[in-house]
């Protein structure tokens, strides 16, 4: 199958990393759809919702790249599966990392299934600085299967474990935050920024007139 027949749902956050990730996928010839996930709805001191601004920035990226844009809300799921557990852990004197839990339950679970089941995607992509042991073409060849619930998984699955690898930019490497995502998610995920440095990503954004995300303050 030609690259043009490959459908990739790319998580777009309104930031420079996800914008460049979507751009690179588009340049590879894939049919790219941008998906903005609303996981929280905080208001700043002026009463304006920062999530809405991020959504608008993500939409402008998709307009610039001429790709479809979708918005999904996982506010309820985030509250039940991330934030509530976070509060419980704090009460027990533990300090979990919400980004790790969010990636596990929201981005690489609900978003993955939404992309496959609702958008007909062949793979998902994010702007994380990470890599896997699979090449793009191998990702497209993987079957989308849920993790078996039984205690013992078959030997074939164990032998063919997908490895999560460090990104080329060791300063920005985000594999720690991806450490709990499932094998099923890894099999179906492309990380377009894995071989790039942050400085080069910014250079790409500038060259393609993505200044509205390039100038944003990053956390």
């Amino acid at each position: 199958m030609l690259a043009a027949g490959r459908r990739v749902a790319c998580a777009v956050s309104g930031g420079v990393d996800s914008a460049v990730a979507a751009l690179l996928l588009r340049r590879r010839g894939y049919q790219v759809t941008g998906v903005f996930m609303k996981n929280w709805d905080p208001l700043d001191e002026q009463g304006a919702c920062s999530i809405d601004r991020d959504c608008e920035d993500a939409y402008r990226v998709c307009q610039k790249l001429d790709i479809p844009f979708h918005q999904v809300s996982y506010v309820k799921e985030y509250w039940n599966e991330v934030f509530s557990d976070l509060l419980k852990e704090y009460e027990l004197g533990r300090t979990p990392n919400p980004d790790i839990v969010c990636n596990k339950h929201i981005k690489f679970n609900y978003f993955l299934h939404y992309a496959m089941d609702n958008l007909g995607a062949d793979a998902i992509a994010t702007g994380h600085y990470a890599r896997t042991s699979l090449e793009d073409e191998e990702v497209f060849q993987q079957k989308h299967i849920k993790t078996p619930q039984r205690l013992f998984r078959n030997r074939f699955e164990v032998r063919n474990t997908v490895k999560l690898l460090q990104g080329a930019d060791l300063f920005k490497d985000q594999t720690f935050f991806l450490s709990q995502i499932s094998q099923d998610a890894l099999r179906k995920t492309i990380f377009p920024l894995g071989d790039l440095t942050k400085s080069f990503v910014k250079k790409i954004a500038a060259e393609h007139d993505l200044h509205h995300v390039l100038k944003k303050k990053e956390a």
Side-chain angles (χ1 to χ4, degrees), residues 126-217:
T126 71
H128 287 97
Y129 289 82
R131 293 179 286 190
T132 74
S133 53
L134 297 178
E135 298 293 334
D136 282 12
E137 190 57 32
E138 293 177 292
V139 172
F140 292 119
Q141 293 170 0
Q142 303 297 311
K143 291 183 179 180
H144 176 51
I145 54 175
K146 293 183 178 180
T147 303
Q149 297 301 312
R150 59 186 182 275
L151 182 61
F152 299 103
R153 293 185 285 181
N154 62 58
R155 294 180 181 179
F156 178 81
E157 184 180 359
V158 174
R159 282 202 307 268
N160 289 274
T161 299
V162 180
K163 295 183 177 69
L164 179 65
L165 307 175
Q166 283 186 317
D169 189 333
L170 297 183
F171 182 75
K172 288 294 296 181
D173 173 68
Q174 293 172 300
T175 49
F176 172 73
F177 302 102
L178 304 170
S179 57
Q180 291 188 18
I181 68 176
S182 70
Q183 277 286 299
D184 184 40
L186 281 179
R187 287 190 183 98
K188 301 300 295 181
T189 302
I190 298 172
F191 296 112
L193 308 187
D195 293 316
L196 306 180
T197 63
K198 179 72 175 191
S199 59
F200 192 65
V201 167
K202 289 183 176 181
K203 183 174 183 291
I204 293 174
E207 289 175 348
H208 289 82
D209 196 26
L210 294 170
H211 299 291
H212 74 286
V213 292
L214 186 59
K215 66 184 180 181
K216 291 180 68 173
K217 182 179 180 180

Side-chain angles (χ1 to χ4, degrees), residues 11-212:
V12 286
S13 65
V16 64
D17 293 330
S18 63
V20 172
L23 167 64
L24 294 177
L25 292 167
R26 189 84 162 84
R27 289 174 58 180
R28 293 177 193 177
Y30 302 139
Q31 294 180 17
V32 184
T33 297
V35 180
F36 179 85
M37 285 171 273
K38 182 178 181 180
N39 302 328
W40 197 250
D41 52 1
L43 298 177
D44 63 22
E45 57 272 17
Q46 281 80 38
C49 183
S50 60
I51 295 296
D52 290 340
R53 290 196 296 267
D54 290 338
C55 183
E56 176 63 25
D57 288 336
Y59 175 68
R60 289 177 60 189
V61 166
C62 292
Q63 280 190 313
K64 187 73 178 178
L65 301 181
D66 192 26
I67 62 175
F69 172 81
H70 290 259
Q71 179 183 357
V72 291
S73 175
Y74 295 125
V75 172
K76 180 180 178 181
E77 291 81 357
Y78 187 91
W79 178 270
N80 291 334
E81 300 186 38
V82 179
F83 192 70
S84 293
D85 284 345
L86 185 69
L87 296 179
K88 292 177 183 177
E89 289 296 298
Y90 280 148
E91 289 176 354
L92 294 172
R94 295 191 285 258
T95 54
N97 188 301
D99 290 332
I100 293 177
V101 183
C102 180
N103 283 330
K104 177 182 179 181
H105 292 292
I106 308 299
K107 295 180 182 177
F108 292 91
N109 181 26
Y110 288 110
F111 168 53
L112 172 67
H113 290 288
Y114 172 79
M116 301 292 159
D117 300 336
N118 295 75
L119 301 180
D122 299 304
I124 64 171
T126 71
H128 287 97
Y129 289 82
R131 293 179 286 190
T132 74
S133 53
L134 297 178
E135 298 293 334
D136 282 12
E137 190 57 32
E138 293 177 292
V139 172
F140 292 119
Q141 293 170 0
Q142 303 297 311
K143 291 183 179 180
H144 176 51
I145 54 175
K146 293 183 178 180
T147 303
Q149 297 301 312
R150 59 186 182 275
L151 182 61
F152 299 103
R153 293 185 285 181
N154 62 58
R155 294 180 181 179
F156 178 81
E157 184 180 359
V158 174
R159 282 202 307 268
N160 289 274
T161 299
V162 180
K163 295 183 177 69
L164 179 65
L165 307 175
Q166 283 186 317
D169 189 333
L170 297 183
F171 182 75
K172 288 294 296 181
D173 173 68
Q174 293 172 300
T175 49
F176 172 73
F177 302 102
L178 304 170
S179 57
Q180 291 188 18
I181 68 176
S182 70
Q183 277 286 299
D184 184 40
L186 281 179
R187 287 190 183 98
K188 301 300 295 181
T189 302
I190 298 172
F191 296 112
L193 308 187
D195 293 316
L196 306 180
T197 63
K198 179 72 175 191
S199 59
F200 192 65
V201 167
K202 289 183 176 181
K203 183 174 183 291
I204 293 174
E207 289 175 348
H208 289 82
D209 196 26
L210 294 170
H211 299 291
H212 74 286

